[in-house]
Amino acid sequence: MVNLTIDGKAISAELGTTILKAASSIGIEIPTLCSFKDFSPDGTCRMCLVEVVGSKELEKACSTPVAEGMVVYTDTFVVRNERRQALKALMVDHKFDCMACYKYETCFFVENNANLIDFDTYKAVGTEGYADRQIDDSNPFYFYDPGKCVLCGRCIKACDHLQCSHILAGFDPEKDNIIKTFGDLPRGNTNCVSCGNCIAVCPTGALAPKKFKPFGYTKHVQTVCPYCGVGCTLNLKVVDNKITDVFSTEGNVNDNLLCVKGRFAYDFVSSPDRLTTPLIRKDGVLQEASWEEAISLVAQKLKEAKQEGPQAVAGLSSARCTNEDNYVFQKFIRTVGESNNVDHCARLCHASTVAGLAKSFGSGAMTNSIEEIDVMDVILVSGSNTTETHPVIGAKIKQRKAQGAALIVAEPRKIELANYADVYLQIKPGTNVALFNGLMRAILDAGLEDKTFINERTEGFEAFLEFMDTLTVEKCAEICGVDPEEMRKAGVLYATKDRGGIFYSMGVTQFSTGTDGVMSTANLAMLTGKIGREGCGVNPLRGQNNVQGACDMGALPGDLPGYQKTANPEAVEKFEKAWDAKLPQNTGKTLTEIIDGVGDKTIKFLYVMGENPMVSDPNTNHVKESLENANFIVVQDIFLTETTEYADVVLPAHVYAEKDGTFTNTERRIQLLRKAVDAPGVAKNDWEIIGMIAKEMGAKGFDFNNASEIMEEIASVTPSYTGVSHERLSNGDRIQWPCLSEDSEGAKFLHAGKFTRGLGAFMITDYIPPEDQADDEYPLILMTGRILEHYHTRTMTKRTPGIEAIAGDAFVEINPAKALEYGIAEGDMIHVTSPRGSVSAKTRFNDGIMENNLFMPFHYGDGGANCLTGGAVDPIAKIPPLKVSKVRITK
């Protein structure tokens, strides 16, 4: 530590600290431009000049380290004058159109330097030469205006060090004063992922979204992103009851980062296609109706269905809806519907995570936190195209890799993270269990297992070891189709680093052996003692914004809120007392079983809230046949969808920006939504609609006045949410469940010292090949998944023109060599056929995919990949196989 004085204030600072940071630590803010975050300062803008006693010249505070006895002045006449000259040099080429500028409210020049600016002088400066600096508007979401650019380089640092996309090459101040891309390409022709993080750090409006409204009555509302499970904080700018911009802030789960969907895909909120009034099908056509008429009909049909018995009623809840919505929905199905037939899309993505991690650890959730990526020494990614499906987490992994962490990637497709990996294993689809077994065999062969952890914290190791002794690295590598030495290298690399996290998603879970795949990840973490500690763990990345919360709330056929089992008489008795209702004690039907029941008419009444099974569920033709044969279907949604085509009643609901409530993200963090705009027409909150039906049925316990009251009830019956309240969240409390008291922040990471189940359980997981195997009739294997631009079934994202311009049509990826074999050119329309159906889509070449594999995203209603998927479900989690389907192709 050294002692110095800044503006008369004595201060101690660590040796090597810059004057800028030292001043900031005592509340003295020195203006900066080229320097931000912790990146190496350039010192080019000269805005942070300060006077240091004894120095012949003014010093740059961003790059000058403190020294013992140093005396610094930050606001003298000389300093102000030099900063004024520096500012003039920056503004000499700056285009002044302030009243129409994106940064009108937050301009760096005005906000930080108003006392230095003489606008009358500067308005006449730099008014020529802009014709030579063409605006680059090639990107569908934003433009770059060189006339406003002051070459601070902040966008370059954001692209290189935050998003890690490395799109921008820099600038030549002696030549054209324009920040160029590598290859000098228009930005729309680069690999730019349109995250907009460069816009967030641009101080001048040189980078700006194409759609923004600078004027009108403006308010800013903080809420949570409605897309993937990262749970990014959003600040919505609202002008005249319409969202006009989205930005984020420091210190949240996303630390100011956003992706293309979070930043730009908000058009759906004010889309003219929104449902605004209830609809009832009359003479085969959906027609507008009043709430009274719609609620009366729904209640009547529910009463009729209940007369057929408890199995005649079923509900599909939604990971897109709030915790409060999901809690009320499952309570309604169980108490008013008298049925445990309630499920949601987690059955299609992470049901095997809930089951597998519960068996191994006692809790089926992500064990660690996103921020812990910053301290991981090794990161293992398998079954997750992280930079596309969880972009902010993908960016953080790339950041950590750049800081020196090791990265292991095991994926059938060569995803972006594979380009950064120390070891990349291109495994065959569906061989995850063999992969993890091979890594563990390599660790055991090298004697790198954590014997102390195993002896003190686990059980079942002897039987597990006997099973592992039947395997060899060579055998596992042969199954996976990889080099055994590379598999050994990956295993040893993971084992020898102190802190390591495993990240996976649906590339591990969506198999008939998905639960085994999940338990294999748990085995690997326990074998090396990388669980129950910071910077370690097994970290499933949940696909949708509130899929974790929907599971927590009991939107599952065998689980009441907080994973209290329907088959446990004590748990049932607890909820019967809390809800003042008689409850069924069986395990209800899963999502796929519900669809089957609708088709064979054992289910007479189906209530769908915010789901679109006609696109998201496997074997679309089977789903279509079932819904066509349905007795009565209610769909509650924000748009007409492929599923509402089969609905008897459609009820209009609110979107995230129109409601208060909570989402729980992939790391178990409970976050508060705040209403920003009014809903169109007579649309209502999901929980409010459910309450109206319950009241019509004469049911008690649904007289909630607001979402906060619902959370109070959730906390009273759900142990892991005991200390959660809207009041705490609105005060800025960070809460990750389990939160067992009102003064607890919960757990940053799970299983410290003791697993939820006591001892961690090693599980024997032998490799079982996928049901579908290539044969003469179907010689290729199709994988399905998600892409960066779209979310779930495109209900929301397809309303954004920029996204549709990039990814408006279904496609199938094929290796160019395989395409040549079939005489297929890129962009050709081809037919893809499986035993379950056939679709048509345009081809995209991808030499990072194996020759006998294809890939299709599932988002699209037309050309949807789920026409081709299906098969035997996982016997434990009942999750269907969606990642491996045998297919053939024809032109």
Side-chain angles (χ1 to χ4, degrees), residues 260-277:
V260 61
K261 296 188 294 293
R263 192 177 300 277
F264 296 115
Y266 54 82
D267 302 76
F268 73 94
V269 175
S270 56
S271 169
D273 299 334
R274 285 286 302 279
L275 288 169
T276 60
T277 188

mmCIF file with all atom_site columns, all heavy atoms in Angstrom, residues 260-277:
data_model
loop_
_atom_site.group_PDB
_atom_site.id
_atom_site.type_symbol
_atom_site.label_atom_id
_atom_site.label_alt_id
_atom_site.label_comp_id
_atom_site.label_asym_id
_atom_site.label_entity_id
_atom_site.label_seq_id
_atom_site.pdbx_PDB_ins_code
_atom_site.Cartn_x
_atom_site.Cartn_y
_atom_site.Cartn_z
_atom_site.occupancy
_atom_site.B_iso_or_equiv
_atom_site.pdbx_formal_charge
_atom_site.auth_seq_id
_atom_site.auth_comp_id
_atom_site.auth_asym_id
_atom_site.auth_atom_id
_atom_site.pdbx_PDB_model_num
ATOM 1   N N   . VAL A 1 260 ? -28.738 -10.643 -29.026 1.00 0.00 ? 260 VAL A N   1
ATOM 2   C CA  . VAL A 1 260 ? -29.589 -10.040 -30.048 1.00 0.00 ? 260 VAL A CA  1
ATOM 3   C C   . VAL A 1 260 ? -31.060 -10.086 -29.656 1.00 0.00 ? 260 VAL A C   1
ATOM 4   O O   . VAL A 1 260 ? -31.820 -9.142  -29.912 1.00 0.00 ? 260 VAL A O   1
ATOM 5   C CB  . VAL A 1 260 ? -29.352 -10.724 -31.420 1.00 0.00 ? 260 VAL A CB  1
ATOM 6   C CG1 . VAL A 1 260 ? -29.679 -12.214 -31.380 1.00 0.00 ? 260 VAL A CG1 1
ATOM 7   C CG2 . VAL A 1 260 ? -30.158 -10.039 -32.524 1.00 0.00 ? 260 VAL A CG2 1
ATOM 8   N N   . LYS A 1 261 ? -31.496 -11.162 -29.003 1.00 0.00 ? 261 LYS A N   1
ATOM 9   C CA  . LYS A 1 261 ? -32.904 -11.260 -28.618 1.00 0.00 ? 261 LYS A CA  1
ATOM 10  C C   . LYS A 1 261 ? -33.218 -10.314 -27.466 1.00 0.00 ? 261 LYS A C   1
ATOM 11  O O   . LYS A 1 261 ? -34.213 -9.580  -27.494 1.00 0.00 ? 261 LYS A O   1
ATOM 12  C CB  . LYS A 1 261 ? -33.244 -12.700 -28.219 1.00 0.00 ? 261 LYS A CB  1
ATOM 13  C CG  . LYS A 1 261 ? -33.109 -13.710 -29.345 1.00 0.00 ? 261 LYS A CG  1
ATOM 14  C CD  . LYS A 1 261 ? -33.645 -15.070 -28.966 1.00 0.00 ? 261 LYS A CD  1
ATOM 15  C CE  . LYS A 1 261 ? -32.849 -15.749 -27.869 1.00 0.00 ? 261 LYS A CE  1
ATOM 16  N NZ  . LYS A 1 261 ? -31.484 -16.126 -28.286 1.00 0.00 ? 261 LYS A NZ  1
ATOM 17  N N   . GLY A 1 262 ? -32.377 -10.349 -26.440 1.00 0.00 ? 262 GLY A N   1
ATOM 18  C CA  . GLY A 1 262 ? -32.643 -9.501  -25.285 1.00 0.00 ? 262 GLY A CA  1
ATOM 19  C C   . GLY A 1 262 ? -32.628 -8.025  -25.620 1.00 0.00 ? 262 GLY A C   1
ATOM 20  O O   . GLY A 1 262 ? -33.425 -7.242  -25.096 1.00 0.00 ? 262 GLY A O   1
ATOM 21  N N   . ARG A 1 263 ? -31.723 -7.611  -26.510 1.00 0.00 ? 263 ARG A N   1
ATOM 22  C CA  . ARG A 1 263 ? -31.584 -6.181  -26.808 1.00 0.00 ? 263 ARG A CA  1
ATOM 23  C C   . ARG A 1 263 ? -32.561 -5.707  -27.873 1.00 0.00 ? 263 ARG A C   1
ATOM 24  O O   . ARG A 1 263 ? -33.062 -4.577  -27.796 1.00 0.00 ? 263 ARG A O   1
ATOM 25  C CB  . ARG A 1 263 ? -30.154 -5.864  -27.258 1.00 0.00 ? 263 ARG A CB  1
ATOM 26  C CG  . ARG A 1 263 ? -29.859 -4.371  -27.306 1.00 0.00 ? 263 ARG A CG  1
ATOM 27  C CD  . ARG A 1 263 ? -28.418 -4.080  -27.681 1.00 0.00 ? 263 ARG A CD  1
ATOM 28  N NE  . ARG A 1 263 ? -27.454 -4.642  -26.775 1.00 0.00 ? 263 ARG A NE  1
ATOM 29  C CZ  . ARG A 1 263 ? -27.070 -4.064  -25.621 1.00 0.00 ? 263 ARG A CZ  1
ATOM 30  N NH1 . ARG A 1 263 ? -27.617 -2.930  -25.248 1.00 0.00 ? 263 ARG A NH1 1
ATOM 31  N NH2 . ARG A 1 263 ? -26.157 -4.642  -24.865 1.00 0.00 ? 263 ARG A NH2 1
ATOM 32  N N   . PHE A 1 264 ? -32.848 -6.527  -28.859 1.00 0.00 ? 264 PHE A N   1
ATOM 33  C CA  . PHE A 1 264 ? -33.596 -6.031  -30.011 1.00 0.00 ? 264 PHE A CA  1
ATOM 34  C C   . PHE A 1 264 ? -34.977 -6.666  -30.212 1.00 0.00 ? 264 PHE A C   1
ATOM 35  O O   . PHE A 1 264 ? -35.814 -6.083  -30.897 1.00 0.00 ? 264 PHE A O   1
ATOM 36  C CB  . PHE A 1 264 ? -32.780 -6.234  -31.294 1.00 0.00 ? 264 PHE A CB  1
ATOM 37  C CG  . PHE A 1 264 ? -31.505 -5.451  -31.344 1.00 0.00 ? 264 PHE A CG  1
ATOM 38  C CD1 . PHE A 1 264 ? -30.272 -6.087  -31.362 1.00 0.00 ? 264 PHE A CD1 1
ATOM 39  C CD2 . PHE A 1 264 ? -31.527 -4.068  -31.365 1.00 0.00 ? 264 PHE A CD2 1
ATOM 40  C CE1 . PHE A 1 264 ? -29.089 -5.369  -31.415 1.00 0.00 ? 264 PHE A CE1 1
ATOM 41  C CE2 . PHE A 1 264 ? -30.349 -3.335  -31.416 1.00 0.00 ? 264 PHE A CE2 1
ATOM 42  C CZ  . PHE A 1 264 ? -29.129 -3.986  -31.438 1.00 0.00 ? 264 PHE A CZ  1
ATOM 43  N N   . ALA A 1 265 ? -35.227 -7.842  -29.666 1.00 0.00 ? 265 ALA A N   1
ATOM 44  C CA  . ALA A 1 265 ? -36.457 -8.578  -30.009 1.00 0.00 ? 265 ALA A CA  1
ATOM 45  C C   . ALA A 1 265 ? -37.587 -8.279  -29.026 1.00 0.00 ? 265 ALA A C   1
ATOM 46  O O   . ALA A 1 265 ? -38.074 -9.157  -28.316 1.00 0.00 ? 265 ALA A O   1
ATOM 47  C CB  . ALA A 1 265 ? -36.174 -10.078 -30.068 1.00 0.00 ? 265 ALA A CB  1
ATOM 48  N N   . TYR A 1 266 ? -38.021 -7.022  -29.016 1.00 0.00 ? 266 TYR A N   1
ATOM 49  C CA  . TYR A 1 266 ? -39.134 -6.636  -28.155 1.00 0.00 ? 266 TYR A CA  1
ATOM 50  C C   . TYR A 1 266 ? -40.357 -6.203  -28.951 1.00 0.00 ? 266 TYR A C   1
ATOM 51  O O   . TYR A 1 266 ? -41.373 -5.778  -28.373 1.00 0.00 ? 266 TYR A O   1
ATOM 52  C CB  . TYR A 1 266 ? -38.714 -5.519  -27.189 1.00 0.00 ? 266 TYR A CB  1
ATOM 53  C CG  . TYR A 1 266 ? -38.102 -4.300  -27.855 1.00 0.00 ? 266 TYR A CG  1
ATOM 54  C CD1 . TYR A 1 266 ? -38.899 -3.299  -28.408 1.00 0.00 ? 266 TYR A CD1 1
ATOM 55  C CD2 . TYR A 1 266 ? -36.720 -4.141  -27.918 1.00 0.00 ? 266 TYR A CD2 1
ATOM 56  C CE1 . TYR A 1 266 ? -38.343 -2.188  -29.008 1.00 0.00 ? 266 TYR A CE1 1
ATOM 57  C CE2 . TYR A 1 266 ? -36.149 -3.026  -28.514 1.00 0.00 ? 266 TYR A CE2 1
ATOM 58  C CZ  . TYR A 1 266 ? -36.959 -2.042  -29.056 1.00 0.00 ? 266 TYR A CZ  1
ATOM 59  O OH  . TYR A 1 266 ? -36.401 -0.945  -29.656 1.00 0.00 ? 266 TYR A OH  1
ATOM 60  N N   . ASP A 1 267 ? -40.315 -6.321  -30.259 1.00 0.00 ? 267 ASP A N   1
ATOM 61  C CA  . ASP A 1 267 ? -41.421 -5.880  -31.116 1.00 0.00 ? 267 ASP A CA  1
ATOM 62  C C   . ASP A 1 267 ? -42.718 -6.613  -30.802 1.00 0.00 ? 267 ASP A C   1
ATOM 63  O O   . ASP A 1 267 ? -43.809 -6.074  -30.986 1.00 0.00 ? 267 ASP A O   1
ATOM 64  C CB  . ASP A 1 267 ? -41.074 -6.109  -32.593 1.00 0.00 ? 267 ASP A CB  1
ATOM 65  C CG  . ASP A 1 267 ? -39.803 -5.398  -33.003 1.00 0.00 ? 267 ASP A CG  1
ATOM 66  O OD1 . ASP A 1 267 ? -38.702 -5.886  -32.660 1.00 0.00 ? 267 ASP A OD1 1
ATOM 67  O OD2 . ASP A 1 267 ? -39.897 -4.364  -33.665 1.00 0.00 ? 267 ASP A OD2 1
ATOM 68  N N   . PHE A 1 268 ? -42.603 -7.865  -30.329 1.00 0.00 ? 268 PHE A N   1
ATOM 69  C CA  . PHE A 1 268 ? -43.805 -8.661  -30.100 1.00 0.00 ? 268 PHE A CA  1
ATOM 70  C C   . PHE A 1 268 ? -44.730 -8.033  -29.051 1.00 0.00 ? 268 PHE A C   1
ATOM 71  O O   . PHE A 1 268 ? -45.945 -8.250  -29.083 1.00 0.00 ? 268 PHE A O   1
ATOM 72  C CB  . PHE A 1 268 ? -43.428 -10.087 -29.679 1.00 0.00 ? 268 PHE A CB  1
ATOM 73  C CG  . PHE A 1 268 ? -42.894 -10.215 -28.271 1.00 0.00 ? 268 PHE A CG  1
ATOM 74  C CD1 . PHE A 1 268 ? -43.742 -10.527 -27.224 1.00 0.00 ? 268 PHE A CD1 1
ATOM 75  C CD2 . PHE A 1 268 ? -41.543 -10.039 -27.999 1.00 0.00 ? 268 PHE A CD2 1
ATOM 76  C CE1 . PHE A 1 268 ? -43.251 -10.659 -25.934 1.00 0.00 ? 268 PHE A CE1 1
ATOM 77  C CE2 . PHE A 1 268 ? -41.046 -10.165 -26.720 1.00 0.00 ? 268 PHE A CE2 1
ATOM 78  C CZ  . PHE A 1 268 ? -41.902 -10.469 -25.675 1.00 0.00 ? 268 PHE A CZ  1
ATOM 79  N N   . VAL A 1 269 ? -44.164 -7.258  -28.138 1.00 0.00 ? 269 VAL A N   1
ATOM 80  C CA  . VAL A 1 269 ? -44.978 -6.700  -27.055 1.00 0.00 ? 269 VAL A CA  1
ATOM 81  C C   . VAL A 1 269 ? -46.093 -5.817  -27.625 1.00 0.00 ? 269 VAL A C   1
ATOM 82  O O   . VAL A 1 269 ? -47.242 -5.881  -27.176 1.00 0.00 ? 269 VAL A O   1
ATOM 83  C CB  . VAL A 1 269 ? -44.101 -5.904  -26.067 1.00 0.00 ? 269 VAL A CB  1
ATOM 84  C CG1 . VAL A 1 269 ? -44.967 -5.218  -25.008 1.00 0.00 ? 269 VAL A CG1 1
ATOM 85  C CG2 . VAL A 1 269 ? -43.080 -6.816  -25.411 1.00 0.00 ? 269 VAL A CG2 1
ATOM 86  N N   . SER A 1 270 ? -45.769 -4.997  -28.602 1.00 0.00 ? 270 SER A N   1
ATOM 87  C CA  . SER A 1 270 ? -46.758 -4.085  -29.186 1.00 0.00 ? 270 SER A CA  1
ATOM 88  C C   . SER A 1 270 ? -47.198 -4.525  -30.573 1.00 0.00 ? 270 SER A C   1
ATOM 89  O O   . SER A 1 270 ? -47.713 -3.716  -31.352 1.00 0.00 ? 270 SER A O   1
ATOM 90  C CB  . SER A 1 270 ? -46.180 -2.668  -29.246 1.00 0.00 ? 270 SER A CB  1
ATOM 91  O OG  . SER A 1 270 ? -44.965 -2.651  -29.974 1.00 0.00 ? 270 SER A OG  1
ATOM 92  N N   . SER A 1 271 ? -47.020 -5.792  -30.875 1.00 0.00 ? 271 SER A N   1
ATOM 93  C CA  . SER A 1 271 ? -47.389 -6.300  -32.197 1.00 0.00 ? 271 SER A CA  1
ATOM 94  C C   . SER A 1 271 ? -48.897 -6.178  -32.432 1.00 0.00 ? 271 SER A C   1
ATOM 95  O O   . SER A 1 271 ? -49.700 -6.457  -31.534 1.00 0.00 ? 271 SER A O   1
ATOM 96  C CB  . SER A 1 271 ? -46.977 -7.769  -32.327 1.00 0.00 ? 271 SER A CB  1
ATOM 97  O OG  . SER A 1 271 ? -47.545 -8.347  -33.486 1.00 0.00 ? 271 SER A OG  1
ATOM 98  N N   . PRO A 1 272 ? -49.291 -5.786  -33.627 1.00 0.00 ? 272 PRO A N   1
ATOM 99  C CA  . PRO A 1 272 ? -50.732 -5.746  -33.941 1.00 0.00 ? 272 PRO A CA  1
ATOM 100 C C   . PRO A 1 272 ? -51.362 -7.133  -33.963 1.00 0.00 ? 272 PRO A C   1
ATOM 101 O O   . PRO A 1 272 ? -52.600 -7.241  -33.998 1.00 0.00 ? 272 PRO A O   1
ATOM 102 C CB  . PRO A 1 272 ? -50.761 -5.102  -35.338 1.00 0.00 ? 272 PRO A CB  1
ATOM 103 C CG  . PRO A 1 272 ? -49.399 -5.346  -35.907 1.00 0.00 ? 272 PRO A CG  1
ATOM 104 C CD  . PRO A 1 272 ? -48.462 -5.316  -34.751 1.00 0.00 ? 272 PRO A CD  1
ATOM 105 N N   . ASP A 1 273 ? -50.545 -8.180  -33.935 1.00 0.00 ? 273 ASP A N   1
ATOM 106 C CA  . ASP A 1 273 ? -51.069 -9.548  -33.931 1.00 0.00 ? 273 ASP A CA  1
ATOM 107 C C   . ASP A 1 273 ? -51.456 -10.029 -32.544 1.00 0.00 ? 273 ASP A C   1
ATOM 108 O O   . ASP A 1 273 ? -51.980 -11.146 -32.401 1.00 0.00 ? 273 ASP A O   1
ATOM 109 C CB  . ASP A 1 273 ? -50.020 -10.514 -34.494 1.00 0.00 ? 273 ASP A CB  1
ATOM 110 C CG  . ASP A 1 273 ? -49.641 -10.208 -35.929 1.00 0.00 ? 273 ASP A CG  1
ATOM 111 O OD1 . ASP A 1 273 ? -50.484 -9.621  -36.638 1.00 0.00 ? 273 ASP A OD1 1
ATOM 112 O OD2 . ASP A 1 273 ? -48.515 -10.541 -36.335 1.00 0.00 ? 273 ASP A OD2 1
ATOM 113 N N   . ARG A 1 274 ? -51.196 -9.226  -31.506 1.00 0.00 ? 274 ARG A N   1
ATOM 114 C CA  . ARG A 1 274 ? -51.502 -9.654  -30.136 1.00 0.00 ? 274 ARG A CA  1
ATOM 115 C C   . ARG A 1 274 ? -52.985 -10.023 -29.980 1.00 0.00 ? 274 ARG A C   1
ATOM 116 O O   . ARG A 1 274 ? -53.877 -9.365  -30.537 1.00 0.00 ? 274 ARG A O   1
ATOM 117 C CB  . ARG A 1 274 ? -51.157 -8.545  -29.147 1.00 0.00 ? 274 ARG A CB  1
ATOM 118 C CG  . ARG A 1 274 ? -49.690 -8.351  -28.860 1.00 0.00 ? 274 ARG A CG  1
ATOM 119 C CD  . ARG A 1 274 ? -49.120 -9.427  -27.973 1.00 0.00 ? 274 ARG A CD  1
ATOM 120 N NE  . ARG A 1 274 ? -49.807 -9.530  -26.697 1.00 0.00 ? 274 ARG A NE  1
ATOM 121 C CZ  . ARG A 1 274 ? -49.598 -8.753  -25.637 1.00 0.00 ? 274 ARG A CZ  1
ATOM 122 N NH1 . ARG A 1 274 ? -48.688 -7.781  -25.721 1.00 0.00 ? 274 ARG A NH1 1
ATOM 123 N NH2 . ARG A 1 274 ? -50.270 -8.931  -24.522 1.00 0.00 ? 274 ARG A NH2 1
ATOM 124 N N   . LEU A 1 275 ? -53.226 -11.039 -29.180 1.00 0.00 ? 275 LEU A N   1
ATOM 125 C CA  . LEU A 1 275 ? -54.594 -11.368 -28.795 1.00 0.00 ? 275 LEU A CA  1
ATOM 126 C C   . LEU A 1 275 ? -55.096 -10.286 -27.847 1.00 0.00 ? 275 LEU A C   1
ATOM 127 O O   . LEU A 1 275 ? -54.421 -9.934  -26.876 1.00 0.00 ? 275 LEU A O   1
ATOM 128 C CB  . LEU A 1 275 ? -54.640 -12.725 -28.110 1.00 0.00 ? 275 LEU A CB  1
ATOM 129 C CG  . LEU A 1 275 ? -54.424 -13.947 -29.008 1.00 0.00 ? 275 LEU A CG  1
ATOM 130 C CD1 . LEU A 1 275 ? -54.225 -15.202 -28.174 1.00 0.00 ? 275 LEU A CD1 1
ATOM 131 C CD2 . LEU A 1 275 ? -55.608 -14.125 -29.961 1.00 0.00 ? 275 LEU A CD2 1
ATOM 132 N N   . THR A 1 276 ? -56.271 -9.759  -28.116 1.00 0.00 ? 276 THR A N   1
ATOM 133 C CA  . THR A 1 276 ? -56.791 -8.652  -27.318 1.00 0.00 ? 276 THR A CA  1
ATOM 134 C C   . THR A 1 276 ? -58.123 -8.960  -26.663 1.00 0.00 ? 276 THR A C   1
ATOM 135 O O   . THR A 1 276 ? -58.580 -8.200  -25.800 1.00 0.00 ? 276 THR A O   1
ATOM 136 C CB  . THR A 1 276 ? -56.967 -7.398  -28.199 1.00 0.00 ? 276 THR A CB  1
ATOM 137 O OG1 . THR A 1 276 ? -57.896 -7.691  -29.250 1.00 0.00 ? 276 THR A OG1 1
ATOM 138 C CG2 . THR A 1 276 ? -55.634 -6.967  -28.805 1.00 0.00 ? 276 THR A CG2 1
ATOM 139 N N   . THR A 1 277 ? -58.764 -10.057 -27.041 1.00 0.00 ? 277 THR A N   1
ATOM 140 C CA  . THR A 1 277 ? -60.079 -10.390 -26.500 1.00 0.00 ? 277 THR A CA  1
ATOM 141 C C   . THR A 1 277 ? -60.253 -11.902 -26.528 1.00 0.00 ? 277 THR A C   1
ATOM 142 O O   . THR A 1 277 ? -59.609 -12.589 -27.344 1.00 0.00 ? 277 THR A O   1
ATOM 143 C CB  . THR A 1 277 ? -61.193 -9.711  -27.322 1.00 0.00 ? 277 THR A CB  1
ATOM 144 O OG1 . THR A 1 277 ? -62.451 -9.889  -26.677 1.00 0.00 ? 277 THR A OG1 1
ATOM 145 C CG2 . THR A 1 277 ? -61.278 -10.287 -28.725 1.00 0.00 ? 277 THR A CG2 1
#
